[in-house]
Amino acid sequence: MATEHAHARKGRKISPVWFIPLLALVLGAYMVVHSMLTEGPEIEIAFKTASGLEKGKTKIKYRNVDMGLVEDVRLSDDLQGVIATAKLSRQTLPLLRDDTRFWVVTARVGAGGVSGLDTLLSGAYIQLAPGEGAEGARSFVALEQPPLTPTGAPGLRIELTSTRASSISAGDPILYKSYSVGRVESAEFDPVTRGMHYTLFIDAPYHEMVNTATRFWDISGIRLNAGAEGFSVETGSLETILLGGVGFTTPPGVEEGGSVEHNTEFELYGSYE
């Protein structure tokens, strides 16, 4: 009688050829995950014009460190401005807040002197100034001019209104007893109230001298007063004679008022008298 013997069949071996696509799949998955974990944010910044902006060339800097690059510049949907799309490094995530500010840095000559001379050789760039609001913002509106006061600077920001025009402009000094203690940040005409509107920033600790009884006046130029006792000449510093400025004090005999909060509004008088 014939005896049958069981024969064990060897399993199929995986062909070495399959290791190549498997390795490619693993590497691809790793690169995708790594990119998601290390990739920086993409943001949009609205500008009035594309002056100083170049696709693939204009850098975004913070503390003079490169933090990103403009990848695209296009017209806005309403054709009234331009939108710059930029890719930033992951380090910028905690810097992108609701009140983060951007502006183009170029060579400028103004009341405060000459700035941005390094851009004559390296080209214009976008400056990033982190804010203090909520994180997560990805869309911003650029400033037309560099801010005169850094974000978070200690001091007091107030508003002045006047029914008459003056030679006061952004960058002019704020004086207390002829000592510079701050600056005019903006000067604009309000078509609604038909008056001038000024934003001032008084540096700490001098802001503590401002109270609700404080008065502000224009000290620009030279004033000649004539009276029964003769002529008198009133001037500020040389800077205010040439450019302009604002003085403030609590008038003698007037009781000091209470503390002042940010953006409190005062009237700007034409003179100390």
Side-chain angles (χ1 to χ4, degrees), residues 116-195:
L117 290 180
D118 57 322
T119 61
L120 295 177
L121 298 177
S122 62
Y125 63 89
I126 299 174
Q127 181 68 53
L128 182 157
E132 299 177 331
E135 293 185 19
R138 295 294 183 268
S139 181
F140 306 89
V141 177
L143 302 177
E144 295 185 38
Q145 298 290 334
L148 298 175
T149 305
T151 302
L156 177 67
R157 181 170 284 107
I158 61 173
E159 311 293 333
L160 295 184
T161 58
S162 175
T163 57
R164 57 184 292 275
S166 68
S167 59
I168 299 172
S169 59
D172 289 349
I174 303 171
L175 303 182
Y176 181 80
K177 295 184 178 180
S178 299
Y179 184 77
S180 180
V181 297
R183 68 209 60 85
V184 178
E185 293 187 318
S186 66
E188 300 175 348
F189 177 76
D190 188 343
V192 177
T193 62
R194 298 185 180 182

Side-chain angles (χ1 to χ4, degrees), residues 34-51:
H34 182 268
S35 178
M36 294 177 60
L37 295 177
T38 61
E39 187 178 29
E42 184 177 271
I43 65 171
E44 291 187 343
I45 311 173
F47 294 86
K48 288 290 186 180
T49 70
S51 177

Side-chain angles (χ1 to χ4, degrees), residues 37-252:
L37 295 177
T38 61
E39 187 178 29
E42 184 177 271
I43 65 171
E44 291 187 343
I45 311 173
F47 294 86
K48 288 290 186 180
T49 70
S51 177
L53 304 177
E54 291 187 64
K55 177 181 177 180
K57 291 185 178 180
T58 304
K59 298 178 179 179
I60 297 179
K61 296 186 178 184
Y62 173 60
R63 296 185 182 273
N64 211 31
V65 176
D66 293 346
M67 305 300 288
L69 187 70
V70 172
E71 295 187 332
D72 185 46
V73 179
R74 70 180 192 277
L75 284 172
S76 59
D77 294 338
D78 59 4
L79 307 181
Q80 299 301 308
V82 299
I83 304 295
T85 302
K87 192 71 172 180
L88 304 182
S89 69
R90 194 169 181 81
Q91 282 184 307
T92 61
L93 285 175
L95 305 178
L96 300 178
R97 300 173 179 267
D98 291 342
D99 54 348
T100 294
R101 299 179 291 182
F102 295 87
W103 66 91
V104 176
V105 177
T106 58
R108 299 176 186 270
V109 179
V114 181
S115 63
L117 290 180
D118 57 322
T119 61
L120 295 177
L121 298 177
S122 62
Y125 63 89
I126 299 174
Q127 181 68 53
L128 182 157
E132 299 177 331
E135 293 185 19
R138 295 294 183 268
S139 181
F140 306 89
V141 177
L143 302 177
E144 295 185 38
Q145 298 290 334
L148 298 175
T149 305
T151 302
L156 177 67
R157 181 170 284 107
I158 61 173
E159 311 293 333
L160 295 184
T161 58
S162 175
T163 57
R164 57 184 292 275
S166 68
S167 59
I168 299 172
S169 59
D172 289 349
I174 303 171
L175 303 182
Y176 181 80
K177 295 184 178 180
S178 299
Y179 184 77
S180 180
V181 297
R183 68 209 60 85
V184 178
E185 293 187 318
S186 66
E188 300 175 348
F189 177 76
D190 188 343
V192 177
T193 62
R194 298 185 180 182
M196 290 299 298
H197 183 90
Y198 305 92
T199 300
L200 279 59
F201 189 87
I202 303 176
D203 297 317
Y206 313 110
H207 70 291
E208 296 178 357
M209 296 183 293
V210 179
N211 57 75
T212 54
T214 298
R215 299 292 180 265
F216 295 83
W217 70 94
D218 182 0
I219 55 175
S220 305
I222 301 175
R223 290 184 175 82
L224 180 63
N225 301 315
E229 299 178 355
F231 293 93
S232 64
V233 178
E234 178 186 346
T235 67
S237 63
L238 178 60
E239 185 178 8
T240 60
I241 294 175
L242 298 176
L243 301 175
V246 176
F248 74 92
T249 191
T250 300

